[in-house]
Amino acid sequence: MSEVSRVALLVGAGDAIGAAVARRFAAGGYKVCIARRDPSKSQAVIDELAAVGRGARAYGIDARRETEVRDLCEVVERDVGPIEVCLFNAGANVQRPLIETTDKLFFKAWELACYAGFLVGREATRCMLRHGRGTMLFTGATASLRGGKGFAAFAAAKVGLRAVAQSMARELGPKNIHVVHLILDGGVDSAAIHQRITAQTGTESWQIPPDSLAKTTSIAEAYWFAHTQTRDAWTHELDLRPSVETW
């Protein structure tokens, strides 16, 4: 397999999980294409990878827009190479009491976390089918399994995304496309989560117990593991949580 064919497209790849997956797949020899609404926010990781001789590009996209998703896949295939791996990592984590959950909020959560995942999954696998192989990765959450208090909108979207991933896996597995849904059942060790914990509990970052949050490098390693599995023993769904997490 030539180097040009090793392309990983990461959609909704932010500074935490997305950046960690970018680093891991770049280290594995992939040319990484990072797509998010504001591509300038990915410049730091692009520069970081370039400094060690690993190619990466950033693209601006609204994953809720069908034409933008289709155009992104076509541009990547034309300018970088065939898409072998695609990650859908866009989130819509919103907690709101049921009575305060407006129709617009509910629809926005579904549109970003479920509908956009369907669009990205469909267009990326359309490319993979042409090449006869590929890996489609979806990031899930605790809400993918159950709806918690205040999470009606988010849970509806994540459960829907899980169903999309299952349907894709059953249809595309025999066609040599590995579809993986990774459930993150716990907090992620990121700046955003640290800020949220501090705001909610007053706990500073240095006071958070070691290994009580999932490290982004560990999450990225799980995705790499799933991608590199042999066809005779594919995993569709993985659930990751810190050892101290209640479940």
Side-chain angles (χ1 to χ4, degrees):
M1 179 171 56
S2 63
E3 183 180 356
V4 71
S5 69
R6 296 172 63 83
V7 175
L9 173 61
L10 315 180
V11 179
D15 300 327
I17 295 172
V21 173
R23 294 183 184 100
R24 183 61 186 90
F25 276 80
Y30 283 78
K31 293 186 176 180
V32 175
C33 297
I34 302 173
R36 59 195 296 185
R37 274 185 273 191
D38 183 355
S40 67
K41 292 183 177 179
S42 296
Q43 195 58 50
V45 70
I46 296 294
D47 293 342
E48 174 190 329
L49 294 175
V52 292
R54 293 169 181 159
R57 300 189 186 193
Y59 299 85
I61 182 179
D62 184 340
R64 301 168 298 178
R65 303 290 177 256
E66 183 178 35
T67 55
E68 291 190 28
V69 174
R70 182 178 296 128
D71 290 348
L72 170 68
C73 291
E74 291 178 357
V75 166
V76 169
E77 292 243 320
R78 182 192 67 213
D79 297 345
V80 187
I83 298 169
E84 183 177 326
V85 181
C86 181
L87 166 69
F88 179 75
N89 189 64
N93 192 346
V94 58
Q95 183 178 11
R96 196 72 56 82
L98 182 66
I99 302 303
E100 298 176 17
T101 301
T102 65
D103 58 339
K104 291 182 179 179
L105 178 62
F106 188 93
F107 181 77
K108 184 178 180 180
W110 169 82
E111 191 179 32
L112 181 59
C114 183
Y115 175 63
F118 156 73
L119 290 178
V120 171
R122 187 188 68 186
E123 294 307 313
T125 56
R126 196 190 300 276
C127 297
M128 295 172 187
L129 286 169
R130 291 200 298 262
H131 312 310
R133 68 180 186 191
T135 300
M136 186 69 219
L137 308 171
F138 292 98
T139 300
T142 304
S144 302
L145 302 177
R146 58 186 181 274
K149 177 182 177 181
F151 287 101
F154 184 57
K158 297 303 283 188
V159 168
L161 181 67
R162 186 187 187 212
V164 169
Q166 287 179 355
S167 295
M168 288 179 58
R170 292 184 169 101
E171 179 178 345
L172 299 172
K175 299 177 181 179
N176 202 29
I177 295 176
H178 186 187
V179 181
V180 182
H181 183 246
L182 183 71
I183 297 172
L184 301 179
D185 185 23
V188 177
D189 193 2
S190 65
I193 296 299
H194 287 189
Q195 292 170 6
R196 186 181 305 171
I197 291 173
T198 299
Q200 292 176 346
T201 68
T203 302
E204 299 294 338
S205 295
W206 62 271
Q207 296 174 305
I208 298 173
D211 298 329
S212 61
L213 298 174
K215 294 180 177 61
T216 57
T217 51
S218 300
I219 296 167
E221 200 63 46
Y223 270 141
W224 178 259
F225 159 74
H227 168 59
T228 56
Q229 288 177 322
T230 55
R231 291 181 60 192
D232 62 304
W234 273 357
T235 296
H236 166 62
E237 190 162 76
L238 281 171
D239 57 334
L240 300 183
R241 64 184 60 85
S243 59
V244 299
E245 187 73 26
T246 301
W247 60 295

